[in-house]
Each structure stands twice: as structure tokens, then as C-alpha cells.
Amino acid sequence: MRFSEPVRMADDGEHSPVWARTRRRRGANPLVGVIVTLLAVFGVLTAVLGVKERSLAEGGAIMDGWISSAVAAVKGEAPKVADEAVDAAGAAAGKAGDAAQAGAAAATDELKK
């Protein structure tokens, strides 16, 4: 007598029956989740501003103003921050060079003794 697949697997003591098994779904790509979340946040923000301003166009204009001011602030600050980073890197390189020279001098003195 032939038994069906679920019955054969149920008789096996090491495995649980097929109908008792649960399948775990793998999660989606996390990047897709972040993008969908950001789009949802922008959608809700647009809707709220649209209700507040009584026009979706006005709400969108407010959001555009926020975004353009943030971009302008980043563009204005970027050269200043880059200059400060270059100055700090130059100072650190100078200190490292001085330390290397001092270490070399100390090693030379030790070898002479």
C-alpha cells in the first residue's frame, strides 16, 4: 500500500508533519523598506500641509522652500568645512612628521650608545 507524502513524513520521528510546519518568509531588501518609509513620510507631510494651507500646491511649495534652504545651507557650509578639514589634516601631518623625526633622533642616540 502506498502512502501519501504527508503520511510518510508524519511517521518519521525526526520531522514534524508537513501541515504543522510554518514557512518563514524572508524579509525584503532593507533599502526598499527605507525608501518606502521615506515616501510615506513625505506623502503624509504633503497631505498635512495641504490640509493646513487648503491647497496641495501650497503645501508642496512650503516643502520645496524647506528643501531648497537645506540644500543652500549645505552648499554654503561645505567649502568652509572642507577648508577646516584640510587645515586639520595638515596640522596632524606636521605633528606626525615632527614625532617621526624625534623618534628617529632618539633611535639614533640609542644606537650610538
XYZ file of all heavy atoms in Angstrom:
801
model
N 0.851 -1.172 0.000
C 0.000 0.000 0.000
C 0.893 1.230 0.000
O 1.831 1.335 0.765
C -0.891 -0.026 1.239
C -1.702 1.203 1.378
S -2.465 1.248 2.985
C -4.139 1.150 2.587
N 0.565 2.163 -0.837
C 1.363 3.385 -0.932
C 0.734 4.461 -0.063
O -0.480 4.637 -0.057
C 1.396 3.854 -2.379
C 2.091 2.872 -3.280
C 2.309 3.487 -4.575
N 3.665 4.045 -4.506
C 4.326 4.506 -5.538
N 3.759 4.513 -6.710
N 5.535 4.967 -5.418
N 1.592 5.155 0.646
C 1.124 6.246 1.475
C 1.486 7.573 0.827
O 2.502 7.677 0.140
C 1.771 6.183 2.868
C 1.301 5.012 3.673
C 2.132 3.926 3.881
C 0.033 4.999 4.204
C 1.709 2.853 4.613
C -0.399 3.927 4.945
C 0.428 2.844 5.155
N 0.668 8.546 1.083
C 0.943 9.864 0.511
C 2.107 10.530 1.249
O 2.516 10.103 2.326
C -0.300 10.747 0.605
O -0.577 11.005 1.961
N 2.612 11.555 0.678
C 3.772 12.255 1.239
C 3.535 12.749 2.669
O 4.382 12.539 3.528
C 4.149 13.426 0.325
C 5.358 14.203 0.776
C 6.663 13.460 0.561
O 6.692 12.503 -0.233
O 7.651 13.835 1.198
N 2.398 13.405 2.974
C 2.202 13.870 4.360
C 2.207 12.734 5.377
O 2.717 12.876 6.475
C 0.864 14.570 4.337
C 0.667 14.986 2.927
C 1.345 13.921 2.108
N 1.650 11.585 5.001
C 1.595 10.473 5.944
C 2.993 9.918 6.176
O 3.382 9.629 7.302
C 0.646 9.368 5.419
C 0.713 8.137 6.298
C -0.772 9.896 5.362
N 3.786 9.763 5.128
C 5.135 9.255 5.294
C 5.972 10.198 6.152
O 6.740 9.766 6.988
C 5.812 9.075 3.931
C 5.460 7.737 3.307
C 6.257 7.499 2.074
N 5.599 8.239 0.993
C 6.224 8.818 -0.007
N 7.520 8.750 -0.101
N 5.560 9.457 -0.924
N 5.805 11.478 5.965
C 6.588 12.421 6.746
C 6.088 12.489 8.182
O 6.855 12.763 9.094
C 6.565 13.794 6.088
C 7.284 13.782 4.746
S 7.504 15.396 4.087
C 8.867 15.932 5.062
N 4.810 12.209 8.414
C 4.269 12.216 9.766
C 4.785 11.025 10.552
O 4.966 11.102 11.767
C 2.750 12.200 9.727
N 5.057 9.911 9.893
C 5.553 8.728 10.575
C 7.018 8.870 10.970
O 7.493 8.181 11.859
C 5.398 7.494 9.672
C 3.936 7.101 9.540
O 3.146 7.519 10.411
O 3.597 6.395 8.583
N 7.718 9.722 10.321
C 9.127 9.931 10.633
C 9.216 10.665 11.967
O 8.665 11.741 12.147
C 9.783 10.751 9.518
C 11.283 10.842 9.686
O 11.820 10.103 10.530
O 11.905 11.642 8.982
N 9.939 10.092 12.936
C 10.002 10.670 14.269
C 10.860 11.919 14.352
O 10.739 12.701 15.281
N 11.743 12.137 13.387
C 12.659 13.270 13.454
C 12.053 14.565 12.934
O 12.516 15.642 13.255
C 13.916 12.955 12.648
C 14.701 11.800 13.207
C 15.895 11.478 12.337
O 16.259 12.334 11.495
O 16.444 10.390 12.487
N 11.044 14.453 12.114
C 10.475 15.639 11.474
C 9.028 15.820 11.900
O 8.321 14.868 12.176
C 10.542 15.502 9.952
C 11.945 15.308 9.444
N 12.893 16.284 9.514
C 12.556 14.241 8.879
C 14.030 15.847 9.009
N 13.852 14.588 8.613
N 8.624 17.039 11.905
C 7.230 17.331 12.225
C 6.382 17.131 10.972
O 6.892 17.148 9.858
C 7.092 18.761 12.732
O 7.488 19.663 11.727
N 5.085 16.950 11.130
C 4.217 16.762 9.961
C 4.243 17.993 9.054
O 4.489 19.112 9.504
C 2.826 16.582 10.567
C 3.044 16.312 12.001
C 4.368 16.850 12.374
N 3.977 17.749 7.794
C 4.017 18.823 6.822
C 3.027 19.928 7.177
O 3.326 21.107 7.076
C 3.731 18.260 5.399
C 3.598 19.388 4.401
C 4.811 17.304 4.996
N 1.842 19.568 7.634
C 0.826 20.571 7.923
C 1.143 21.371 9.188
O 0.560 22.408 9.414
C -0.557 19.913 8.047
C -0.615 18.845 9.093
C -0.842 19.001 10.416
C -0.399 17.455 8.886
N -0.785 17.806 11.066
C -0.523 16.824 10.136
C -0.126 16.665 7.776
C -0.373 15.466 10.309
C 0.005 15.314 7.957
C -0.114 14.708 9.207
N 2.075 20.883 10.012
C 2.434 21.602 11.229
C 3.611 22.550 11.017
O 3.932 23.333 11.887
C 2.771 20.619 12.344
N 4.233 22.463 9.873
C 5.383 23.311 9.608
C 4.945 24.719 9.235
O 3.933 24.916 8.587
C 6.234 22.741 8.480
C 6.859 21.440 8.855
C 7.716 20.955 7.734
N 8.122 19.583 8.029
C 8.636 18.773 7.146
N 8.818 19.169 5.897
N 8.979 17.560 7.485
N 5.738 25.659 9.658
C 5.471 27.044 9.250
C 6.604 27.486 8.360
O 7.763 27.156 8.593
C 5.386 27.983 10.465
O 6.605 27.920 11.174
C 4.235 27.616 11.370
N 6.268 28.233 7.382
C 7.282 28.776 6.486
C 7.591 30.185 6.904
O 6.705 31.007 7.100
C 6.792 28.782 5.044
C 6.790 27.443 4.430
C 6.550 27.579 2.960
N 6.731 26.297 2.318
C 6.333 26.023 1.110
N 5.733 26.946 0.399
N 6.534 24.840 0.598
N 8.864 30.452 7.008
C 9.276 31.822 7.311
C 9.578 32.519 6.006
O 10.343 32.025 5.197
C 10.515 31.824 8.184
C 10.248 31.364 9.571
C 11.458 31.588 10.416
N 11.181 31.137 11.764
C 11.992 31.316 12.764
N 13.144 31.907 12.572
N 11.688 30.899 13.961
N 8.974 33.651 5.858
C 9.265 34.437 4.654
C 10.478 35.282 4.929
O 10.628 35.870 5.993
C 8.076 35.319 4.303
C 6.868 34.531 3.909
C 5.758 35.375 3.402
N 5.628 36.664 4.090
C 4.891 37.641 3.658
N 4.200 37.513 2.562
N 4.805 38.759 4.315
N 11.325 35.330 3.947
C 12.483 36.199 4.081
C 12.022 37.635 3.958
O 11.132 37.962 3.181
C 13.512 35.902 3.005
C 14.154 34.558 3.169
C 15.271 34.349 2.222
N 14.965 34.890 0.892
C 15.692 34.668 -0.175
N 16.752 33.916 -0.089
N 15.367 35.173 -1.338
N 12.675 38.486 4.717
C 12.337 39.906 4.650
C 12.798 40.503 3.335
O 13.685 40.001 2.660
N 12.173 41.576 2.976
C 12.538 42.272 1.747
C 13.860 43.013 1.960
O 14.393 43.084 3.064
C 11.436 43.248 1.353
N 14.349 43.565 0.910
C 15.588 44.339 0.959
C 15.388 45.529 1.905
O 14.408 46.267 1.781
C 15.924 44.816 -0.452
C 17.283 45.451 -0.536
O 17.923 45.707 0.472
N 17.723 45.689 -1.753
N 16.287 45.754 2.866
C 16.105 46.863 3.808
C 16.102 48.234 3.128
O 15.435 49.150 3.587
C 17.290 46.751 4.760
C 17.974 45.483 4.465
C 17.443 44.940 3.194
N 16.834 48.352 2.024
C 16.863 49.627 1.305
C 15.472 49.961 0.762
O 15.044 51.116 0.816
C 17.880 49.573 0.169
C 18.036 50.841 -0.653
C 18.524 51.981 0.228
C 18.992 50.611 -1.801
N 14.767 48.957 0.291
C 13.409 49.180 -0.217
C 12.503 49.648 0.923
O 11.683 50.557 0.752
C 12.861 47.891 -0.876
C 11.406 48.040 -1.246
C 13.693 47.528 -2.090
N 12.680 49.061 2.100
C 11.877 49.477 3.252
C 12.128 50.917 3.637
O 11.203 51.666 3.956
N 13.383 51.344 3.594
C 13.714 52.731 3.938
C 13.114 53.686 2.914
O 12.543 54.724 3.275
C 15.249 52.907 4.028
C 15.628 54.368 4.110
C 15.793 52.146 5.221
N 13.226 53.335 1.640
C 12.686 54.205 0.587
C 11.170 54.318 0.710
O 10.614 55.420 0.622
C 13.104 53.693 -0.803
C 14.612 53.897 -0.993
C 12.323 54.391 -1.908
C 15.169 53.260 -2.234
N 10.507 53.194 0.944
C 9.045 53.223 1.083
C 8.647 54.047 2.306
O 7.685 54.830 2.258
C 8.491 51.782 1.171
C 7.041 51.769 1.600
C 8.658 51.081 -0.169
N 9.393 53.910 3.400
C 9.089 54.687 4.602
C 9.257 56.179 4.356
O 8.411 56.986 4.760
C 10.002 54.242 5.756
O 9.811 52.841 5.982
C 9.697 54.997 7.027
N 10.349 56.567 3.685
C 10.556 57.986 3.382
C 9.457 58.533 2.479
O 8.971 59.651 2.686
C 11.924 58.200 2.749
C 13.121 58.072 3.683
C 14.424 58.184 2.897
C 13.069 59.128 4.765
N 9.067 57.747 1.478
C 7.979 58.194 0.603
C 6.681 58.348 1.377
O 5.917 59.296 1.139
C 7.813 57.224 -0.562
C 8.915 57.251 -1.620
C 8.704 56.131 -2.633
C 8.954 58.590 -2.314
N 6.420 57.436 2.299
C 5.205 57.534 3.108
C 5.238 58.776 3.991
O 4.233 59.487 4.132
C 5.041 56.279 3.958
N 6.411 59.064 4.571
C 6.533 60.258 5.424
C 6.311 61.523 4.594
O 5.587 62.428 5.016
C 7.913 60.287 6.121
C 8.192 61.643 6.741
C 7.985 59.202 7.173
N 6.919 61.589 3.410
C 6.702 62.763 2.560
C 5.246 62.873 2.120
O 4.705 63.976 2.027
C 7.628 62.732 1.338
C 9.013 63.195 1.633
C 10.093 62.361 1.406
C 9.254 64.454 2.130
C 11.379 62.777 1.685
C 10.541 64.888 2.415
C 11.599 64.047 2.190
N 4.621 61.745 1.851
C 3.207 61.773 1.466
C 2.324 62.292 2.578
O 1.430 63.124 2.351
N 2.551 61.816 3.794
C 1.759 62.284 4.937
C 2.026 63.758 5.195
O 1.092 64.532 5.455
C 2.070 61.422 6.189
C 1.490 62.047 7.442
C 1.548 60.012 6.006
N 3.297 64.155 5.116
C 3.639 65.567 5.338
C 2.986 66.456 4.288
O 2.458 67.528 4.609
C 5.152 65.747 5.323
C 5.679 67.129 5.672
C 5.237 67.533 7.070
C 7.187 67.151 5.570
N 2.982 66.015 3.042
C 2.327 66.789 1.984
C 0.831 66.897 2.238
O 0.235 67.966 2.072
C 2.583 66.135 0.613
O 3.989 66.047 0.409
C 1.947 66.935 -0.506
N 0.215 65.799 2.658
C -1.223 65.821 2.938
C -1.539 66.757 4.102
O -2.502 67.537 4.043
C -1.711 64.406 3.240
N -0.732 66.694 5.158
C -0.980 67.554 6.320
C -0.804 69.024 5.944
O -1.632 69.872 6.304
C -0.041 67.170 7.488
C -0.050 68.210 8.588
C -0.432 65.806 8.044
N 0.263 69.342 5.211
C 0.457 70.727 4.789
C -0.616 71.161 3.805
O -1.020 72.331 3.789
C 1.849 70.905 4.179
C 3.011 70.870 5.164
C 4.338 70.901 4.423
C 2.920 72.031 6.136
N -1.075 70.237 2.974
C -2.156 70.562 2.043
C -3.443 70.908 2.769
O -4.161 71.835 2.383
N -3.739 70.177 3.833
C -4.938 70.479 4.619
C -4.754 71.806 5.352
O -5.667 72.630 5.408
C -5.228 69.322 5.608
C -6.279 69.722 6.617
C -5.648 68.076 4.857
N -3.567 72.012 5.903
C -3.309 73.247 6.650
C -3.389 74.474 5.749
O -3.988 75.487 6.116
C -1.922 73.174 7.289
C -1.555 74.394 8.083
C -0.147 74.282 8.623
C 0.246 75.621 9.208
N 1.670 75.829 9.181
N -2.794 74.375 4.561
C -2.774 75.510 3.647
C -3.983 75.535 2.709
O -4.107 76.431 1.898
C -1.489 75.484 2.814
C -0.224 75.592 3.629
C -0.108 76.923 4.337
O -0.516 77.948 3.767
O 0.395 76.920 5.478
N -4.814 74.523 2.791
C -6.019 74.365 1.976
C -5.711 74.233 0.494
O -6.528 74.582 -0.356
C -6.984 75.516 2.220
C -7.468 75.524 3.636
C -8.479 76.575 3.886
N -8.801 76.552 5.311
C -9.727 77.273 5.837
N -10.432 78.072 5.101
N -9.956 77.183 7.123
N -4.498 73.759 0.183
C -4.116 73.515 -1.194
C -2.869 72.642 -1.191
O -1.895 72.951 -0.498
C -3.831 74.836 -1.912
O -3.204 74.588 -3.149
N -2.901 71.581 -1.973
C -1.721 70.724 -2.059
C -0.552 71.455 -2.703
O 0.605 71.220 -2.357
C -2.035 69.448 -2.845
C -2.880 68.409 -2.109
C -3.196 67.240 -3.027
C -2.167 67.911 -0.872
N -0.858 72.374 -3.623
C 0.203 73.139 -4.265
C 0.915 74.031 -3.248
O 2.144 74.154 -3.266
C -0.354 73.976 -5.405
N 0.170 74.642 -2.367
C 0.773 75.487 -1.335
C 1.594 74.653 -0.352
O 2.676 75.051 0.067
C -0.313 76.263 -0.582
C -1.014 77.310 -1.418
C -0.093 78.451 -1.784
O 0.796 78.811 -0.986
O -0.251 78.978 -2.895
N 1.056 73.501 0.020
C 1.805 72.612 0.910
C 3.095 72.146 0.262
O 4.150 72.076 0.917
N 3.041 71.806 -1.021
C 4.246 71.411 -1.748
C 5.241 72.547 -1.861
O 6.456 72.346 -1.796
N 4.735 73.764 -2.026
C 5.619 74.929 -2.109
C 6.352 75.146 -0.784
O 7.537 75.513 -0.775
C 4.820 76.172 -2.483
N 5.676 74.922 0.319
C 6.328 75.054 1.625
C 7.441 74.018 1.766
O 8.550 74.330 2.208
C 5.290 74.915 2.760
C 4.361 76.126 2.772
C 5.974 74.761 4.111
C 3.204 76.013 3.732
N 7.148 72.774 1.369
C 8.173 71.726 1.439
C 9.339 72.041 0.511
O 10.500 71.805 0.864
C 7.580 70.359 1.090
C 6.768 69.767 2.225
S 6.061 68.173 1.863
C 7.447 67.217 1.353
N 9.057 72.568 -0.664
C 10.137 72.957 -1.586
C 11.021 74.038 -0.970
O 12.242 74.032 -1.139
C 9.566 73.458 -2.911
C 9.027 72.337 -3.777
O 9.405 71.173 -3.523
O 8.252 72.630 -4.703
N 10.409 74.961 -0.261
C 11.179 76.011 0.413
C 12.098 75.420 1.475
O 13.259 75.828 1.603
N 11.578 74.456 2.250
C 12.404 73.815 3.278
C 13.589 73.087 2.640
O 14.723 73.196 3.114
C 11.585 72.811 4.068
C 10.512 73.400 4.936
C 10.369 74.707 5.319
C 9.432 72.687 5.518
N 9.266 74.841 6.099
C 8.663 73.619 6.253
C 9.012 71.378 5.507
C 7.533 73.264 6.968
C 7.888 71.005 6.217
C 7.151 71.949 6.935
N 13.313 72.345 1.571
C 14.366 71.565 0.918
C 15.413 72.489 0.298
O 16.618 72.261 0.437
C 13.760 70.607 -0.129
C 12.935 69.536 0.576
C 14.845 69.971 -0.994
C 12.103 68.677 -0.351
N 14.964 73.545 -0.380
C 15.930 74.444 -1.022
C 16.775 75.183 0.011
O 17.965 75.411 -0.208
C 15.219 75.428 -1.938
O 14.374 76.280 -1.190
N 16.204 75.541 1.153
C 17.000 76.207 2.190
C 18.011 75.240 2.802
O 19.147 75.638 3.110
C 16.101 76.798 3.274
O 15.427 75.765 3.979
N 17.639 73.976 2.946
C 18.584 72.980 3.474
C 19.728 72.745 2.490
O 20.897 72.652 2.885
C 17.856 71.667 3.773
N 19.403 72.664 1.202
C 20.439 72.457 0.184
C 21.373 73.659 0.124
O 22.596 73.515 0.019
C 19.794 72.169 -1.195
C 20.820 72.240 -2.309
C 19.113 70.814 -1.184
N 20.810 74.858 0.216
C 21.634 76.062 0.193
C 22.556 76.119 1.411
O 23.719 76.515 1.295
C 20.748 77.306 0.145
N 22.048 75.700 2.564
C 22.880 75.691 3.763
C 24.023 74.700 3.623
O 25.162 74.990 4.003
C 22.032 75.354 4.992
N 23.740 73.543 3.058
C 24.793 72.536 2.871
C 25.819 73.018 1.861
O 27.027 72.879 2.071
C 24.177 71.185 2.433
C 25.244 70.224 1.955
C 23.383 70.573 3.577
N 25.361 73.602 0.770
C 26.293 74.115 -0.242
C 27.135 75.257 0.307
O 28.301 75.393 -0.032
C 25.537 74.579 -1.483
C 25.068 73.452 -2.357
C 24.416 73.987 -3.616
C 23.978 72.862 -4.521
N 23.305 73.358 -5.723
N 26.565 76.082 1.144
C 27.299 77.208 1.714
C 28.308 76.765 2.765
O 29.375 77.347 2.891
N 27.988 75.729 3.515
C 28.859 75.255 4.583
C 29.939 74.305 4.082
O 30.977 74.167 4.712
C 28.027 74.544 5.661
C 27.112 75.456 6.437
C 27.882 76.412 7.329
O 28.875 75.992 7.934
O 27.488 77.587 7.397
N 29.694 73.630 2.975
C 30.625 72.596 2.508
C 32.035 73.120 2.257
O 33.001 72.507 2.722
C 30.062 71.906 1.271
N 32.232 74.243 1.559
C 33.608 74.719 1.353
C 34.315 75.095 2.656
O 35.506 74.817 2.823
C 33.439 75.938 0.455
C 32.127 75.760 -0.210
C 31.285 75.024 0.774
N 33.570 75.692 3.576
C 34.169 76.079 4.851
C 34.587 74.840 5.647
O 35.686 74.789 6.204
C 33.169 76.915 5.660
C 33.746 77.463 6.952
C 32.768 78.386 7.621
C 32.107 77.630 8.741
N 31.213 78.418 9.563
N 33.727 73.841 5.667
C 34.046 72.606 6.384
C 35.222 71.893 5.729
O 36.103 71.361 6.412
C 32.793 71.696 6.450
C 33.139 70.322 6.984
C 31.714 72.340 7.300
N 35.268 71.903 4.400
C 36.377 71.259 3.688
C 37.695 71.973 3.983
O 38.726 71.321 4.193
C 36.100 71.247 2.192
N 37.677 73.296 4.018
C 38.895 74.043 4.343
C 39.378 73.728 5.757
O 40.576 73.557 5.996
C 38.656 75.548 4.196
C 38.539 75.975 2.741
O 39.014 75.225 1.865
O 37.968 77.062 2.492
N 38.439 73.645 6.706
C 38.807 73.309 8.079
C 39.390 71.901 8.150
O 40.356 71.661 8.888
C 37.592 73.431 8.996
C 37.141 74.865 9.219
C 35.841 74.952 9.997
O 35.286 73.884 10.374
O 35.370 76.071 10.238
N 38.828 70.975 7.389
C 39.333 69.601 7.388
C 40.732 69.537 6.798
O 41.595 68.809 7.299
C 38.385 68.695 6.615
N 40.974 70.314 5.738
C 42.312 70.345 5.135
C 43.324 70.928 6.122
O 44.443 70.412 6.261
C 42.285 71.150 3.819
C 43.690 71.460 3.338
C 41.519 70.380 2.756
N 42.948 71.995 6.810
C 43.848 72.597 7.791
C 44.158 71.620 8.927
O 45.306 71.497 9.356
C 43.244 73.885 8.364
C 43.164 74.993 7.320
O 43.914 74.907 6.313
O 42.369 75.932 7.516
N 43.132 70.933 9.401
C 43.332 69.964 10.483
C 44.218 68.809 10.024
O 45.093 68.348 10.775
C 41.988 69.437 10.970
N 44.009 68.336 8.796
C 44.837 67.244 8.267
C 46.280 67.692 8.109
O 47.217 66.940 8.403
C 44.275 66.753 6.939
N 46.504 68.932 7.654
C 47.860 69.462 7.521
C 48.553 69.571 8.866
O 49.736 69.226 9.002
N 47.822 70.036 9.866
C 48.398 70.151 11.210
C 48.739 68.774 11.772
O 49.804 68.581 12.374
C 47.424 70.882 12.136
N 47.862 67.803 11.555
C 48.119 66.447 12.038
C 49.317 65.838 11.324
O 50.144 65.156 11.949
C 46.881 65.572 11.841
N 49.440 66.088 10.023
C 50.586 65.567 9.273
C 51.881 66.211 9.770
O 52.919 65.539 9.889
C 50.407 65.822 7.780
N 51.842 67.498 10.066
C 53.022 68.181 10.611
C 53.432 67.599 11.949
O 54.626 67.352 12.199
N 52.461 67.351 12.830
C 52.753 66.753 14.130
C 53.315 65.350 13.969
O 54.239 64.947 14.679
C 51.498 66.720 14.999
C 51.077 68.066 15.533
C 49.838 67.945 16.385
C 49.361 69.293 16.888
N 48.142 69.169 17.683
N 52.755 64.589 13.030
C 53.245 63.232 12.798
C 54.675 63.258 12.278
O 55.513 62.439 12.676
C 52.330 62.503 11.814
N 54.969 64.211 11.400
C 56.326 64.341 10.888
C 57.308 64.717 11.984
O 58.420 64.172 12.063
N 56.911 65.641 12.853
C 57.771 66.034 13.975
C 58.011 64.850 14.912
O 59.121 64.637 15.391
C 57.151 67.199 14.749
C 57.100 68.483 13.927
O 57.845 68.568 12.914
O 56.316 69.388 14.298
N 56.968 64.090 15.176
C 57.105 62.924 16.053
C 58.018 61.876 15.422
O 58.825 61.245 16.116
C 55.732 62.326 16.350
N 57.905 61.696 14.114
C 58.766 60.727 13.430
C 60.224 61.168 13.498
O 61.125 60.343 13.726
C 58.320 60.563 11.982
N 60.472 62.449 13.322
C 61.850 62.953 13.411
C 62.400 62.788 14.820
O 63.556 62.400 15.013
C 61.913 64.418 12.992
C 61.852 64.623 11.506
C 61.945 66.100 11.138
O 61.692 66.978 11.951
N 62.314 66.356 9.882
N 61.570 63.081 15.815
C 62.016 62.931 17.204
C 62.297 61.464 17.509
O 63.281 61.137 18.185
C 60.963 63.491 18.157
N 61.450 60.582 17.015
C 61.665 59.149 17.227
C 62.924 58.665 16.539
O 63.672 57.850 17.086
N 63.175 59.152 15.338
C 64.384 58.766 14.616
C 65.628 59.264 15.340
O 66.638 58.549 15.446
C 64.332 59.303 13.185
N 65.566 60.487 15.865
C 66.705 61.030 16.610
C 66.965 60.224 17.869
O 68.108 59.922 18.220
C 66.452 62.504 16.948
N 65.884 59.865 18.557
C 66.038 59.059 19.781
C 66.597 57.683 19.462
O 67.454 57.167 20.192
C 64.686 58.934 20.490
N 66.163 57.085 18.374
C 66.679 55.773 17.979
C 68.151 55.862 17.587
O 68.947 54.978 17.928
C 65.849 55.221 16.821
N 68.524 56.936 16.937
C 69.924 57.127 16.553
C 70.796 57.267 17.790
O 71.888 56.681 17.885
C 70.054 58.360 15.646
O 69.218 58.203 14.519
C 71.492 58.561 15.188
N 70.326 58.036 18.756
C 71.073 58.216 20.006
C 71.227 56.887 20.741
O 72.284 56.593 21.300
C 70.384 59.236 20.912
C 70.474 60.647 20.365
O 71.355 60.890 19.502
O 69.674 61.508 20.798
N 70.184 56.071 20.757
C 70.255 54.770 21.428
C 71.232 53.839 20.736
O 71.948 53.080 21.373
C 68.863 54.113 21.455
C 67.945 54.635 22.524
C 68.439 54.282 23.915
O 68.906 53.158 24.155
O 68.348 55.175 24.788
N 71.254 53.883 19.407
C 72.169 53.014 18.678
C 73.628 53.429 18.843
O 74.534 52.596 18.777
C 71.807 52.983 17.192
C 70.497 52.251 16.858
C 70.172 52.417 15.383
C 70.604 50.779 17.206
N 73.866 54.713 19.067
C 75.229 55.211 19.255
C 75.807 54.778 20.594
O 77.000 54.678 20.761
C 75.274 56.728 19.125
C 75.135 57.196 17.700
C 75.209 58.703 17.655
C 75.033 59.203 16.225
N 75.053 60.671 16.170
N 74.956 54.548 21.548
C 75.416 54.211 22.918
C 75.846 52.802 23.028
O 75.913 51.875 22.548
C 74.308 54.467 23.935
C 74.041 55.925 24.111
C 72.984 56.112 25.165
C 72.665 57.576 25.323
N 71.681 57.816 26.306
